[in-house]
Amino acid sequence: MSVFYFLSGFCFSSWASRIPTIKAEFEFNEAELGTILLFMPFSSLCGIPISGWLVSRYDSRVPLTFAFVFLAVAIFGIGMATSTVALIASICLFAFSMRILNISMNTQAVGLQKLYEKRINGSFHGLWSTGGIVGVGFSTLLVGMKTDISVHLTVVALITLAVTFISFSNLIKNDRTTSGNKLNLRKPDPYIMYLGLLVLFASICEGGMFDWGGVYFREVVKVELFTLGYLLFMVCMAISRFASDRVIESIGLARTYILSSSLIIIGITLSVLFATFWTSLIGFCFVGFGTASIFPMTLLLAGSSKKYSPGMGISIVATYGIVGMFVGPALIGYLAHAFNLRLAFIAFGIAGLMLIPISQLFFKHQKREPEEKMV
């Protein structure tokens, strides 16, 4: 399972670190790039009924494996695209595949967590970030060597296929659940809704940093090796995720959400007010520390829902995250086009701030829930 988290991060960061290259080669402005990026969350949303059906019908390792195969095809297509239509088609396949594999991976992770007394979920997400670091480092090396994007992403696609087929046999078997797989739209579950809103605002911030971090360093900070800020962001996220399980055990979930929010606000403030090389690096570092714990904490809580199965709970909450991915990158693109990219980054700080009131509402609901059942 650890290998697949690492590989997922490697693939995603390989794509994200090359967004500035794609922007330059296709001569997109900020608004046009924002529109292109809109196709990713839209494609993920199209995968909602399919992902829910897959986790209820098959062991999670089956859709996980097929998703990685299609992801490799999508990465290859992005690298080889010579027209906007081909690029959009490959991006849509990439986003759809990421949707399926994320649900499958986190379903497997919840199952593994139940076999251990101590928390291990944060470490899985730490491996995702570690894979992201390796992917960004690899991209930085190839950008420095002026390697063509087609060669770069072809290598990534081949690595993805090889690792997937080698590691398939080590995944958990027989984890399909037969209950809690139906979505009830008439009466939304407050437990899931609050978790979804946390993921929504976290994804606006985290997804936006993935998509716009490199562009920010290239066009605002004016750094030629534009992947440096994104690389440090990923390094800090990985460090924080490996430490997140201990932090949560020390200060609790509620305080960890507040700490995460505070770090995001500090990081964005530094990056926007003082858009120099070192202050922006430090700011990206703080944002990486702040965003790190939110997804592992929230998805683990979603997998513990009493109303839904782990796969369905994670799928519903992840859908909120996809909406955040839908809104965030596009919003930044339009704000940057209307004003400038530096001011547009303030939106990430606002998203980070929203984590505090929503998390407090969630924990208040948890305290009230037993009392309501007794009444």
Side-chain angles (χ1 to χ4, degrees):
M1 195 64 247
S2 300
V3 171
F4 285 98
Y5 268 92
F6 180 93
L7 182 62
S8 176
F10 178 79
C11 291
F12 187 85
S13 66
S14 296
W15 136 258
S17 61
R18 278 295 196 167
I19 290 175
T21 304
I22 294 171
K23 181 177 184 292
E25 290 191 356
F26 283 84
E27 298 181 349
F28 293 139
N29 60 36
E30 285 82 1
E32 289 170 338
L33 179 60
T35 301
I36 294 294
L37 295 176
L38 270 175
F39 283 94
M40 292 190 70
F42 178 76
S43 300
S44 293
L45 284 171
C46 290
I48 291 173
I50 296 177
S51 62
W53 177 76
L54 287 172
V55 297
S56 64
R57 187 174 179 84
Y58 300 100
D59 292 346
S60 58
R61 69 180 192 144
V62 175
L64 176 60
T65 303
F66 279 100
F68 269 109
V69 172
F70 285 115
L71 184 67
V73 174
I75 290 170
F76 175 76
I78 292 171
M80 300 301 294
T82 56
S83 67
T84 302
V85 173
L87 177 65
I88 291 173
S90 297
I91 287 174
C92 287
L93 181 60
F94 180 90
F96 183 84
S97 302
M98 288 294 295
R99 164 72 184 190
I100 304 300
L101 72 87
N102 280 331
I103 301 304
S104 304
M105 280 198 312
N106 283 292
T107 301
Q108 287 245 331
V110 169
L112 276 172
Q113 177 65 79
K114 292 177 180 177
L115 301 176
Y116 291 82
E117 292 184 3
K118 66 177 183 179
R119 290 181 178 273
I120 61 171
N121 196 55
S123 297
F124 283 130
H125 290 267
L127 286 166
W128 188 94
S129 297
T130 303
I133 293 168
V134 174
V136 176
F138 185 51
S139 298
T140 301
L141 175 64
L142 295 185
V143 167
M145 295 172 61
K146 302 188 184 303
T147 304
D148 191 79
I149 187 175
S150 61
V151 176
H152 174 196
L153 295 188
T154 297
V155 172
V156 172
L158 291 174
I159 291 172
T160 301
L161 288 174
V163 173
T164 298
F165 289 122
I166 291 170
S167 303
F168 169 76
S169 60
N170 295 317
L171 292 170
I172 294 178
K173 303 174 184 177
N174 303 319
D175 64 340
R176 182 171 67 93
T177 55
T178 57
S179 61
N181 291 313
K182 293 183 178 180
L183 178 62
N184 188 350
L185 295 175
R186 295 180 181 178
K187 190 177 180 181
D189 182 12
Y191 180 93
I192 291 293
M193 184 185 69
Y194 286 130
L195 292 177
L197 289 173
L198 287 169
V199 167
L200 170 70
F201 287 105
S203 64
I204 289 175
C205 185
E206 185 175 326
M209 292 294 288
F210 286 146
D211 290 348
W212 288 99
V215 180
Y216 190 86
F217 260 73
R218 185 175 193 171
E219 299 186 3
V220 177
V221 185
K222 307 293 184 183
V223 176
E224 185 175 350
L225 201 57
F226 51 82
T227 55
L228 284 175
Y230 181 52
L231 177 59
L232 186 61
F233 170 76
M234 292 297 294
V235 168
C236 293
M237 180 179 285
I239 293 171
S240 183
R241 279 181 169 169
F242 281 119
S244 64
D245 292 321
R246 292 183 180 179
V247 172
I248 293 169
E249 289 178 358
S250 299
I251 66 175
L253 287 166
R255 290 179 180 175
T256 304
Y257 277 112
I258 294 173
L259 175 62
S260 298
S261 175
S262 301
L263 289 172
I264 292 170
I265 295 167
I266 292 170
I268 294 298
T269 301
L270 283 173
S271 300
V272 172
L273 291 182
F274 311 101
T276 62
F277 177 72
W278 288 109
T279 54
S280 294
L281 277 180
I282 294 171
F284 273 46
C285 183
F286 273 107
V287 178
F289 282 130
T291 56
S293 300
I294 300 167
F295 272 86
M297 287 192 297
T298 310
L299 293 180
L300 184 60
L301 288 167
S304 302
S305 170
K306 296 178 181 179
K307 183 175 181 179
Y308 294 107
S309 67
M312 183 56 69
I314 291 170
S315 180
I316 297 170
V317 170
T319 300
Y320 283 81
I322 291 165
V323 173
M325 295 286 186
F326 187 94
V327 172
L331 175 64
I332 296 302
Y334 296 137
L335 288 175
H337 189 67
F339 304 100
N340 60 63
L341 186 56
R342 185 175 177 180
L343 289 177
F345 259 54
I346 294 173
F348 296 147
I350 296 172
L353 177 63
M354 291 302 298
L355 297 173
I356 295 177
I358 295 170
S359 64
Q360 296 307 299
L361 287 172
F362 170 76
F363 290 110
K364 285 180 180 178
H365 169 74
Q366 272 197 309
K367 290 179 180 179
R368 287 198 307 266
E369 197 172 38
E371 298 175 0
E372 290 173 355
K373 288 182 177 179
M374 289 178 67
V375 174

